[in-house]
């Protein structure tokens, strides 16, 4: 494998010639990547730099996976217009436990060193924190685009947010990283790691950033925005979400997710099906990919109910007020339920219904459908 494969989909590799110099050291390199555990899922977008870690691992290098259990307590301010809310430590710990399992969909677990940055950050006393802060200046911190904009707009910036890039940079000191991977939004943080490592007498890391993956809504895929596919999300959800990708993003997804140049012939629908199969197969295997496609074809394309439908009890009364039942069964507001009814988006046993009140006997034991993908079987409460 040549350097071209190691840097596939890279936007920048800094400094120029730095990676070539590292590779000439003749030893396994320590390739670092960290993710704050703000959500329980590692996303397909996170998978883009994880693929670069796997490429290095396949060449005999060591992946160093940083679980940001400590930095999550502040939250990465990258691209933020305001400070992130604090997250319950119990939620952080629960998310952290899932992180490695999900990332292992792509990386080689046998060549991965998993570290929690609370291991070293929680042990820094105040004198050591002061030493860390002396490695840069306020002016340098305010060069960061999001801080610069907020400062210029007279919007608040907490001291803890200013410390975040310093803490992430100290991770590189603690694990003696040779290379750090991240999305383009992490460029500032990765370069700060170089500065802090040098201040601590270490050879600075190489910063390798990769292209950002856009989601179906046209914005960057993000766990905090909810517009993501999880690397270990349920197979049917993965398949269905992948099929939502607009035609205009297929080239990008083939390049970043499947690491293939160019979309195959056969039209956008076949290209999306191949993409969805790949995502599910990588996470769950060939059988799961086949089952997820069958589910998608039956439920979404043909509008039929899935083989297994959750049950929901019928409320008291006769007739039954359908907007209230829809709201309860599918966690909708009453106005959303009425809108679905008005748009012909509600079916009972496959037949479109628009009545607000429906006889109880028509609903008992029937499959109620809201939209294309939500189903419940109604039954009499015991």
């Amino acid at each position: 494998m040549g350097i071209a494969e190691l840097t596939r989909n890279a936007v920048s590799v800094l400094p120029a010639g730095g990676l070539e110099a590292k590779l000439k050291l003749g030893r396994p390199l320590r390739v670092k990547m960290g993710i704050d555990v703000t959500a329980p899922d590692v996303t397909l977008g996170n998978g883009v730099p994880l693929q670069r870690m796997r490429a290095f691992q396949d060449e005999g290098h060591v992946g160093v996976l940083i679980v940001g259990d400590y930095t999550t307590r502040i939250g990465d301010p990258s691209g933020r217009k305001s400070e992130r809310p604090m997250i319950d430590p119990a939620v952080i710990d629960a998310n952290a436990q899932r992180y490695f399992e999900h990332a292992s969909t792509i990386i080689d677990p046998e060549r991965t060193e998993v570290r929690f940055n609370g291991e070293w950050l929680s042990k820094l006393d105040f004198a050591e924190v002061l030493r860390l802060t002396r490695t840069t200046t306020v002016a340098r911190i305010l060069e960061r685009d999001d801080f610069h904009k907020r400062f210029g707009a007279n919007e608040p910036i907490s001291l803890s947010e200013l410390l975040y890039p310093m803490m992430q940079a100290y991770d590189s000191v603690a694990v003696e990283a040779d290379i750090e991977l991240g999305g383009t939004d992490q460029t500032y943080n990765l370069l700060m790691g170089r500065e802090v490592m040098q201040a601590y007498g270490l050879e600075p890391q190489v910063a390798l950033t990769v292209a950002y993956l856009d989601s179906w809504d046209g914005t960057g895929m993000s766990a905090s925005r909810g517009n993501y596919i999880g690397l270990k999300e349920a197979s049917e959800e993965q398949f269905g979400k992948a099929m939502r990708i607009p035609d205009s993003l297929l080239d990008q997804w083939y390049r970043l997710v499947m690491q293939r140049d160019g979309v195959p012939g056969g039209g956008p629908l076949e290209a999306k099906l191949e993409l969805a199969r790949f995502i599910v197969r990588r996470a769950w295997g060939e059988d799961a990919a086949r089952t997820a496609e069958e589910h998608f074809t039956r439920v979404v394309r043909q509008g039929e109910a899935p083989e297994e439908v959750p049950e929901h009890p019928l409320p008291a009364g006769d007739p039954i007020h359908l907007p209230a039942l829809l709201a309860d069964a599918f966690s909708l507001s009453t106005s959303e339920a009425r809108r679905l009814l008005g748009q012909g988006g509600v079916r009972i046993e496959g037949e479109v219904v628009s009545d607000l009140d429906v006889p109880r006997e028509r609903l008992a034991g029937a499959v109620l459908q809201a939209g294309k993908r939500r189903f419940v079987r109604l039954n009499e409460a015991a």
Side-chain angles (χ1 to χ4, degrees), residues 75-102:
D76 186 358
S78 296
R80 301 286 295 186
K81 295 182 179 179
S82 61
E83 186 172 11
R84 289 183 185 270
M86 292 291 289
I87 300 176
D88 187 330
V91 173
I92 293 173
D93 291 342
N95 291 347
Q97 295 305 315
R98 294 160 56 96
Y99 178 60
F100 177 61
E101 175 195 347
H102 290 197

Side-chain angles (χ1 to χ4, degrees), residues 46-61:
N46 300 138
V48 179
L50 285 171
Q51 287 168 340
R52 302 282 49 79
M53 178 177 284
R54 179 56 185 260
F56 278 97
Q57 289 177 317
D58 288 344
E59 288 292 289
H61 303 293

Side-chain angles (χ1 to χ4, degrees), residues 16-82:
L19 179 56
E20 290 83 353
K22 292 283 188 182
L23 291 171
K24 290 178 181 177
L25 293 175
R27 60 169 173 80
L29 300 178
R30 295 176 61 75
V31 184
K32 169 200 171 192
M33 179 181 165
I35 303 178
D36 283 349
V37 285
T38 51
D41 294 315
V42 179
T43 74
L44 214 61
N46 300 138
V48 179
L50 285 171
Q51 287 168 340
R52 302 282 49 79
M53 178 177 284
R54 179 56 185 260
F56 278 97
Q57 289 177 317
D58 288 344
E59 288 292 289
H61 303 293
V62 178
V64 184
L65 205 59
I66 305 293
V67 178
D69 63 322
Y70 211 76
T71 42
T72 299
R73 285 163 169 77
I74 294 177
D76 186 358
S78 296
R80 301 286 295 186
K81 295 182 179 179
S82 61

Side-chain angles (χ1 to χ4, degrees), residues 310-320 325 358-367 376-382:
E311 296 193 353
H312 187 81
L314 278 170
D318 187 11
I320 290 175
L325 175 58
V358 178
R360 187 180 192 88
E361 64 179 6
R362 185 179 177 189
L363 292 171
V367 172
V376 293
R377 185 176 295 280
L378 301 168
N379 56 34
E380 296 284 5

Side-chain angles (χ1 to χ4, degrees), residues 2-272:
I3 197 167
E5 181 59 30
L6 294 176
T7 59
R8 176 189 285 267
N9 294 323
V11 173
S12 63
V13 183
L14 301 171
L19 179 56
E20 290 83 353
K22 292 283 188 182
L23 291 171
K24 290 178 181 177
L25 293 175
R27 60 169 173 80
L29 300 178
R30 295 176 61 75
V31 184
K32 169 200 171 192
M33 179 181 165
I35 303 178
D36 283 349
V37 285
T38 51
D41 294 315
V42 179
T43 74
L44 214 61
N46 300 138
V48 179
L50 285 171
Q51 287 168 340
R52 302 282 49 79
M53 178 177 284
R54 179 56 185 260
F56 278 97
Q57 289 177 317
D58 288 344
E59 288 292 289
H61 303 293
V62 178
V64 184
L65 205 59
I66 305 293
V67 178
D69 63 322
Y70 211 76
T71 42
T72 299
R73 285 163 169 77
I74 294 177
D76 186 358
S78 296
R80 301 286 295 186
K81 295 182 179 179
S82 61
E83 186 172 11
R84 289 183 185 270
M86 292 291 289
I87 300 176
D88 187 330
V91 173
I92 293 173
D93 291 342
N95 291 347
Q97 295 305 315
R98 294 160 56 96
Y99 178 60
F100 177 61
E101 175 195 347
H102 290 197
S104 295
T105 301
I106 294 176
I107 60 175
D108 181 354
E110 299 300 318
R111 289 186 175 273
T112 304
E113 180 181 312
V114 182
R115 305 289 292 275
F116 289 72
N117 63 13
E119 176 187 336
W120 47 84
L121 292 176
S122 65
K123 297 176 182 176
L124 294 179
D125 62 25
F126 195 66
E128 290 167 323
V129 171
L130 287 176
R131 180 192 175 192
L132 177 59
T133 61
R134 284 201 278 279
T135 62
T136 192
T137 66
V138 172
R140 176 74 177 91
I141 291 287
L142 291 179
E143 289 176 7
R144 180 175 170 147
D145 186 58
D146 40 19
F147 288 155
H148 181 74
K149 288 178 180 177
R150 286 164 63 184
F151 185 76
N154 200 29
E155 295 172 347
I157 305 171
S158 72
L159 286 175
S160 65
E161 289 183 282
L162 296 179
L163 283 174
Y164 180 91
M166 308 297 299
M167 295 167 68
Q168 184 172 352
Y170 192 78
D171 290 349
S172 294
V173 173
V175 301
E176 298 186 5
D178 291 301
I179 299 163
E180 183 169 11
L181 309 172
T184 52
D185 63 325
Q186 294 293 309
T187 301
Y188 180 96
N189 290 339
L190 272 56
L191 293 177
M192 180 62 70
R194 285 181 51 80
E195 294 184 23
V196 172
M197 290 182 77
Q198 191 164 20
Y200 277 80
L202 298 174
E203 182 67 28
Q205 65 188 12
V206 169
L208 192 158
T209 64
V210 296
Y212 219 69
L213 183 66
D214 289 324
S215 190
W216 49 82
D217 61 359
T219 66
M221 183 173 288
S222 167
S224 60
R225 280 193 287 268
N227 62 347
Y228 69 92
I229 300 175
L231 287 180
K232 291 291 284 185
E233 194 169 0
S235 59
E236 293 171 356
E237 285 297 310
Q238 288 180 325
F239 202 99
K241 288 181 178 180
M243 294 299 295
R244 294 172 59 188
I245 299 302
D247 297 355
S248 59
L249 289 180
L250 279 172
D251 280 332
Q252 185 198 76
W253 277 61
Y254 264 73
R255 177 168 48 86
L256 298 183
V257 177
M258 299 183 71
Q259 302 188 86
R260 286 173 51 176
D261 296 324
V263 179
L269 177 59
E270 183 53 43
K272 291 176 189 179

